[in-house]
Amino acid sequence: MSVKLVVLKSLEEIVADVKELVLEEDGKEKIIGFLLTEPRVLSLSKMVPLNEEEGDRVSVNFEKWQPFSEDKQFQIPADWVVTIAEPLEKLKSSYEEQLNAKERTMSVLEEQSVVTG
């Protein structure tokens, strides 16, 4: 998995597994877009400190990028991507943990439907 931080022209900041979509023309490779798997939009929430020593903190929220779609993969044209960067290790770990938790939940639900269905 190649988890990257992607900023789109729409200024959405997305974390996803990213793969280049390449077209070969005249023996040269040209990146025409990117395949985003399980993209999540990032947003920050300010956390209220419980005491003065704690200071201001922020929390990162992960939201499904296309909430009305069942698709897990999306093709994005190269000209819609502003930048691609390596995410902070803690952000990458949180994203992977969220996906793993989702897979475990889906697996348990499928097992329950077989048992009770």
Side-chain angles (χ1 to χ4, degrees):
M1 183 181 292
S2 182
V3 177
K4 300 290 182 187
L5 184 61
V6 179
V7 179
L8 301 178
K9 277 187 180 180
S10 59
L11 300 182
E12 293 168 296
E13 294 185 58
I14 296 173
V15 63
D17 180 26
V18 179
K19 291 186 176 75
E20 295 177 344
L21 298 174
V22 179
L23 178 66
E24 191 172 323
E25 289 181 342
D26 302 324
K28 295 180 184 178
E29 289 186 349
K30 178 181 177 183
I31 297 173
I32 59 169
F34 299 91
L35 181 66
L36 306 182
T37 302
E38 294 284 0
R40 298 291 187 266
V41 177
L42 300 173
S43 62
L44 295 175
S45 298
K46 187 173 180 179
M47 297 176 69
V48 178
L50 298 176
N51 55 50
E52 289 182 24
E53 293 85 38
E54 212 172 69
D56 290 341
R57 297 184 322 180
V58 293
S59 171
V60 176
N61 303 310
F62 297 88
E63 298 174 31
K64 188 174 176 186
W65 181 55
Q66 292 291 324
F68 301 112
S69 173
E70 290 188 24
D71 294 339
K72 292 183 180 186
Q73 293 186 319
F74 300 88
Q75 295 178 11
I76 307 297
D79 66 346
W80 254 86
V81 175
V82 175
T83 190
I84 296 177
E86 196 66 37
L88 295 170
E89 188 57 42
K90 190 167 185 169
L91 178 69
K92 183 178 177 179
S93 297
S94 294
Y95 168 77
E96 290 171 342
E97 286 173 14
Q98 183 192 48
L99 291 183
N100 290 336
K102 178 183 168 191
E103 287 177 13
R104 284 193 301 271
T105 301
M106 294 300 286
S107 176
V108 167
L109 290 174
E110 288 170 1
E111 288 174 15
Q112 288 177 347
S113 68
V114 171
V115 172
T116 61

